[in-house]
Amino acid sequence: MKNIQQLLSELPIRSLFKESRIGIEKESQRVTLSGELATTDHPKEFGNRAFHPTIQTDFSETQVEMITPVANSEREVFEHLASLHDVVRRTLPENEMLWPLSMPPVLPENDDAIKIAKLASDKDVAYREHLAKTYGKRKQMVSGIHYNFEFDSVFLKQLHEKSDSTQTFKDFKTDVYLKVSRNYLRYRWFVTYMMGAAPLSEEGYFTGCPKGRPNMPVRSIRNSNFGYTNDESVFVSYKSMDDYATSIQKLVETGKISEEKEFYSAVRLRGGSSVAAIQEKGVGYIEIRNIDNNPFANYGITEEQIKLLHYFLMLMLWLDEAPIDSDEWLREGERLNNQVALENPLAPTSQIEEGERLLIAWLEMMESIESSDDDIGLVKELGRLLANPEETLAGKMLTEIKAQETQEKFAIELGNTYQASAWEKPYQLAGFRDMELSTQLLLFDCLQKGISAEILDRQDQFLKLSFDGKVEYVKKANMTSLDTYVVSLMMENKTVTKKVLDQAGFKVPAGKEFTTKEDAIASYAYFIDRGIVVKPKSTNYGLGISIFKEGASLEDYSEAIDIAFKEDTEVLVEEFLPGTEYRFFVIGDKTEAIMLRVPANVKGDGVSTIAQLVEVKNQDSLRGTKHRTPLQLIELGPIEKLMLKEQGLTVESVLEKDQVVYLRENSNVSTGGDSIDMTDEMPEYYKEVAAKAVQALGATISGIDLIIPDVDAEVTPDNPGYGIIEANFNPAMHMHAFPFAGKGRRLTLKVLERLFNGIS
Amino acid sequence: MKNIQQLLSELPIRSLFKESRIGIEKESQRVTLSGELATTDHPKEFGNRAFHPTIQTDFSETQVEMITPVANSEREVFEHLASLHDVVRRTLPENEMLWPLSMPPVLPENDDAIKIAKLASDKDVAYREHLAKTYGKRKQMVSGIHYNFEFDSVFLKQLHEKSDSTQTFKDFKTDVYLKVSRNYLRYRWFVTYMMGAAPLSEEGYFTGCPKGRPNMPVRSIRNSNFGYTNDESVFVSYKSMDDYATSIQKLVETGKISEEKEFYSAVRLRGGSSVAAIQEKGVGYIEIRNIDNNPFANYGITEEQIKLLHYFLMLMLWLDEAPIDSDEWLREGERLNNQVALENPLAPTSQIEEGERLLIAWLEMMESIESSDDDIGLVKELGRLLANPEETLAGKMLTEIKAQETQEKFAIELGNTYQASAWEKPYQLAGFRDMELSTQLLLFDCLQKGISAEILDRQDQFLKLSFDGKVEYVKKANMTSLDTYVVSLMMENKTVTKKVLDQAGFKVPAGKEFTTKEDAIASYAYFIDRGIVVKPKSTNYGLGISIFKEGASLEDYSEAIDIAFKEDTEVLVEEFLPGTEYRFFVIGDKTEAIMLRVPANVKGDGVSTIAQLVEVKNQDSLRGTKHRTPLQLIELGPIEKLMLKEQGLTVESVLEKDQVVYLRENSNVSTGGDSIDMTDEMPEYYKEVAAKAVQALGATISGIDLIIPDVDAEVTPDNPGYGIIEANFNPAMHMHAFPFAGKGRRLTLKVLERLFNGIS
């Protein structure tokens, strides 16, 4: 094929070269908050490991493995990884966290205390028992990151076309990945130098006094021959696909490895269920396996690292290979890597010159493909690290460990910090914070329960969910296949909703609609002697509404009609229902949550001013702005100040202890109101009324608002005790999950339970 | 109870007095267009008569009975009646129509040729056979209108409260209706005078030379003792509910009538399944039975008549009764009515003085209840008719019949006129013309098939349908429970639709979305060397779209991106699919209709100018404005003129014979385009593709747009022959029902067939 560097100077391919698909797998040991290996089982909240696509256990029961979906950008894969960490951390028992290092924590003396993952498949367990026997359990306890990489398919196709290659596309593609793999195996010492982060082991990793135990600290025990590697005699050729396949087959046949997946290379060819399948179909992508967990990164790797590895793999394609036997080339790489891995992290590397040459080629490539200045800056930074080993990950670790006295203390502190960070805003999900809160909550549940979620439209909050072979689509977390199209439209139309509920025997405010004042006046007789509300049919922020709690005179009625007609061409006169409004969140045949919304308010302490009380109340992490939080900040704007003035108060007034002052008339959470969960307090009767009303509408998911004058009052045939105001087809879910007071209700999970069988 | 006139002077009751609920039943004989009694069966298109709620047969198989739902206003009941006539007339065989008179057409000599209605129930048939035996078949062939009337329930309740009555509400209400009934029976001669419309009989009505055969013409044979009445000895008291019940029971017991419903009074008490049930529950409403079919009214009665009857019934409550025995009062009424019915229509009535007194009271009442000037005018008009008998219905009929020579000719001409009027705009449904065309078509189907349709929100086109115990809600004729909520949202989002179809293996235009120009430019390589469309994500009237059928240079591409970003924050670059766009209308697993839309155009005839050709083409009754018709008028505005200019033409250009000139680029029907049905022409393969694609979306009702370069081209794995552009969740249905060319497709009926079992 033509020289790749020439080819990439041709415009179209150049831009496509930067595209790729990346997926990351990351392992971490579960430990107690004081750093002891966890003794608990993998949390049952994760459901069935047999098909959980993203949260698994690796070798041991304590070794959580997080697997991101394949992403189209570094940012995307990083966000997936972040979200998985949020989910895992929030699901761990209260006194557990993830160990932030690749090297395991102090391991128990007794081998039996290191539990092999309790998988359902006998074969999976047997394989792990074989590994334990062959390599020892302790080496298996090392964790790390696997980086799956695929070139953009359009790029590969165009590269194939432009290269004038006589190969089939399949063979061409395989050769591309083989070249990248060979170069990676040759130059991987550079990654070990830059990103190696396993300088020390803890007690219990090296048992007894093994032969050649390294002179720690080193750059990476894990990436040295003291890490989790095959026997020295295991060598696989990357000369061609056939050579690769043949050598692995021979290893299995001779029993040097028990099966193909026991071949622990730093690069694996992927794209099929077996090596033979890959040989048949061609290489689909490669798996880079030598990345240590970065303890300075909350999620074990930074977005910059992900990007640098991406560029490094591009560089592996860009660089010409040396004109020597490729098996030799690989053995040389293996030797160099082990050497660099075992260097003292604070000492300059022996390979500094080759490193400088690599960096020069790397920057040439980036200029050629017109990389951004930011990206070029990242690579230049590597040059600084090459000259300053104390700034590499292992170097920085040593400095920190020295300050903290031991690596264990260093790891425990970081682990605790990261664990706490996952709980700072528990209503958000890292990686998806731009989405609506309800969708973040739903995605959390999906990740936890092993429901695959593909975002079909991010702005539209449109998801494709798959579980156990079933596909469901969900928009805004509550718009699903559980409801019919026409029922959503029914609930959208308040008049229709009321008519249907009325016909089904539910109490709704009686009322009439008018398109002319004349008609409205003619019907005054319907509304004498009772409380009424006069309002435009489409209400906008309460404009044009008149409420007559005790009934209206014809004159008042007439005036109210005029006011309402200023806002709309249709006017509604409705019976006024006195009482407190509760939101009943119904799913299917059950009221799952009940919320009382209280207008923005503060409670006095005898010394603070209203302004101070508001400030304190606003410090609640549940409060924020623009619906990015379950509650909104209380404002002290003109409306609030007017409301205070009407009560003879100002923002400087000091309230008596326990004196409650309201700052708003309306109870909306969006204007600083409080949300109070009342699910357990509400009598069963009203829960049934709400659920049956939703069923009468034919709906499955609805937020139905009931006015109840007194929840404890006796209910009679003449007085059902409630009136239904409206049913919402897109009811807020997050406010139920994180209320101001009372118990949170995980409604998104309830929705998922209705969509899929067997997730809980 | 207090004097009603006093009570009504109290404000609130006054306005409620005008409210009422009205339902109409109207019979008509089916005849051929030349006026012979039809020999065909009741059309099978009406489905099962056993439960058709609105279209039935009365005595004979030819006697169609139309039953409106209960309406809350005169306008509403009139519209129901109009719609029923549209449905019946459009369902009749081509050579049939409705006979516009109460008196039957010429009847066959042989009694056997008058077929009793072929009902499923043996009991119903036996009853009719009994009637035939007792009264003769010929009298049973008379048709008329029944007017069911109920006072507003709030009015009755308030009247009860204000009246200081010691009666229960049930008894009070019964007494109200009894009073109205007695007064009506006493004064019904006035209705016979004003609205009697049966001056002559046709051959076969009177057989032989019966005793006392009237001296025709008269005002109303039907309302005289020569009409369809009980034996003279049948008398029922209306003194009290008990008296009423007892006298009817006695008639049945003594065999004077075979069952309660054989009592043919001009007023029946209603509100229960039997007289005993009414006695138990109280009278619910009354049925006025003496209204002749008005031949001058398309639907047998005018809206004014309906209103006058309503006021007349109010007057019957308003008027004090004479202080004499009420049975005598009724006998007097019977006598007066028969006398007036048998008067010569052109002669003044003998009861003119009582008539004048009635009118004075009537106007007093209307002033007291503040009726509108228009309504008062209607009543004043009656005064004119009292003085001018030639202006009563019977009087006018005589004049017309004289001009036409015979009543038969008069009836045939009117019948034909009305029959033709039902076909003037077959895409509309009388009574519902303010609604969307698709909803009018659906309502037509409902009425035809006996599906009860309640309009829950007229502006919103929201219907409640019931059939055989099942309830379904439908909005805009195609939004139903057949589709899920999330699928409608999926189709609303073109990006999501495309992704789902793509994942399911359907051909959709490949594309990418961008939020920055930088990203778009970086991805240029994806789009080189192929036709593309660059457009804002949300397209508005085609603004910001650039099409490059042969591919774009980077410069053109970049400019198109700029143009698109001026319209939206997201820009879509999509593969251009060449070919013709077809709309496939899929319901469930089947493509039910396919439409080709052609831009507004005219075809030359060698002599006419383009302006003239447009004018002629616009005369098609399918064309109109504002979507009130299946096709829209072709305009000759700036866009069309520009388009002509580009072709070197003006509106004054004369086109050669068969020369087709397009006036628009876009093929939208809304800009004058033609709709051409292609359902039968399209190869089965594409019908299946469309149906399967809709199934892949999980949708039931969808209008899916396929681009097909050549419907006859061979399809290969590499070339599926089509590309799917979009799937519409609210696809137009009326354009398929009434295309410009090709066969109409009754899609609304197909939807109903999916919603309900057993309607076809």
Side-chain angles (χ1 to χ4, degrees), chain A residues 182 186-187 239 320-333:
Chain A
R182 287 189 301 263
R186 170 60 183 77
Y187 294 114
K239 207 172 276 179
D320 292 334
E321 295 176 83
I324 58 168
D325 178 74
S326 82
D327 290 350
E328 280 312 306
W329 181 247
L330 261 53
R331 286 205 171 89
E332 170 75 358

Side-chain angles (χ1 to χ4, degrees), chain A residues 360-546:
Chain A
I360 288 167
W362 194 337
L363 288 168
E364 264 175 23
M365 175 190 80
M366 292 185 80
E367 250 170 67
S368 171
I369 63 173
E370 296 174 347
S371 293
S372 70
D373 289 347
D374 283 355
D375 289 359
I376 291 174
L378 282 179
V379 176
K380 284 188 173 157
E381 180 71 6
L382 292 184
R384 222 169 53 85
L385 265 57
L386 200 59
N388 301 279
E390 69 281 7
E391 292 189 24
T392 61
L393 289 185
K396 275 163 69 187
M397 279 176 79
L398 276 195
T399 312
E400 287 286 324
I401 289 166
K402 200 172 169 192
Q404 303 253 10
E405 289 180 20
T406 67
Q407 173 174 273
E408 188 181 27
K409 280 187 188 166
F410 162 78
I412 290 170
E413 188 179 303
L414 284 176
N416 272 282
T417 304
Y418 299 147
Q419 179 64 21
S421 76
W423 282 105
E424 270 168 25
K425 292 188 174 178
Y427 45 85
Q428 293 184 346
L429 180 63
F432 298 96
R433 293 200 179 110
D434 57 313
M435 301 194 80
E436 290 181 4
L437 287 184
S438 295
T439 294
Q440 291 186 52
L441 294 172
L442 187 88
L443 284 169
F444 178 94
D445 297 336
C446 288
L447 282 172
Q448 190 186 58
K449 299 300 177 191
I451 299 166
S452 297
E454 181 187 349
I455 298 174
L456 294 181
D457 190 318
R458 200 160 181 119
Q459 264 190 312
D460 215 17
Q461 322 288 320
F462 211 115
L463 310 179
K464 176 185 180 179
L465 308 183
S466 324
F467 184 81
D468 205 13
K470 189 182 178 198
V471 172
E472 288 283 352
Y473 298 92
V474 176
K475 178 172 166 172
K476 290 178 184 278
N478 58 24
M479 301 169 171
T480 70
S481 69
L482 296 170
D483 278 299
T484 70
Y485 186 15
V486 77
V487 162
S488 73
L489 300 166
M490 179 190 290
M491 290 194 274
E492 195 180 26
N493 184 317
K494 297 197 195 318
T495 310
V496 172
T497 302
K498 266 186 15 179
K499 278 188 188 166
V500 173
L501 287 174
D502 181 43
Q503 289 179 0
F506 292 92
K507 168 70 181 163
V508 292
K512 277 180 178 278
E513 282 169 40
F514 304 103
T515 50
T516 67
K517 184 183 178 184
E518 199 191 341
D519 285 350
I521 298 299
S523 288
Y524 170 64
Y526 285 99
F527 305 111
I528 48 169
D529 300 339
R530 51 176 169 166
I532 54 168
V533 181
V534 180
K535 58 185 174 187
K537 192 177 173 191
S538 317
T539 52
N540 275 318
Y541 310 105
L543 284 178
I545 299 184
S546 305

Side-chain angles (χ1 to χ4, degrees), chain A residues 243-256:
Chain A
D243 287 332
Y244 179 82
T246 311
S247 38
I248 292 190
Q249 273 156 29
K250 205 165 282 172
L251 287 170
V252 175
E253 280 163 18
T254 57
K256 288 204 170 158

Side-chain angles (χ1 to χ4, degrees), chain B residues 22 60 185 245 311 378 380 461 500 645 657:
Chain B
I22 304 171
S60 76
L185 288 168
Y311 276 120
L378 283 178
K380 284 186 175 158
Q461 321 289 318
V500 173
K645 196 176 165 191
K657 186 153 170 50

Side-chain angles (χ1 to χ4, degrees), chain A residues 152 459 464 503 526 570, chain B residues 152 459 464 503 526 570:
Chain A
D152 180 79
Q459 264 190 312
K464 176 185 180 179
Q503 289 179 0
Y526 285 99
E570 270 190 90
Chain B
D152 179 80
Q459 265 191 310
K464 176 184 179 178
Q503 290 178 1
Y526 284 99
E570 270 189 271

Side-chain angles (χ1 to χ4, degrees), chain B residues 492-507:
Chain B
E492 195 181 26
N493 184 317
K494 297 194 196 318
T495 310
V496 172
T497 302
K498 268 188 9 183
K499 279 189 188 168
V500 173
L501 287 174
D502 181 45
Q503 290 178 1
F506 292 90
K507 169 69 182 164

Side-chain angles (χ1 to χ4, degrees), chain B residues 134 157 178 228 230 245 252 270 292 331 439 443 453 471 474 484 501 530 558 590 596 598 649 734:
Chain B
T134 311
K157 277 189 189 124
L178 280 167
Y228 177 28
N230 294 111
V252 175
R270 301 298 299 263
D292 287 347
R331 288 205 169 87
T439 295
L443 284 169
V471 172
V474 175
T484 70
L501 287 174
R530 53 175 168 168
S558 168
K590 190 156 176 255
L596 170 65
V598 178
L649 298 166
H734 58 275

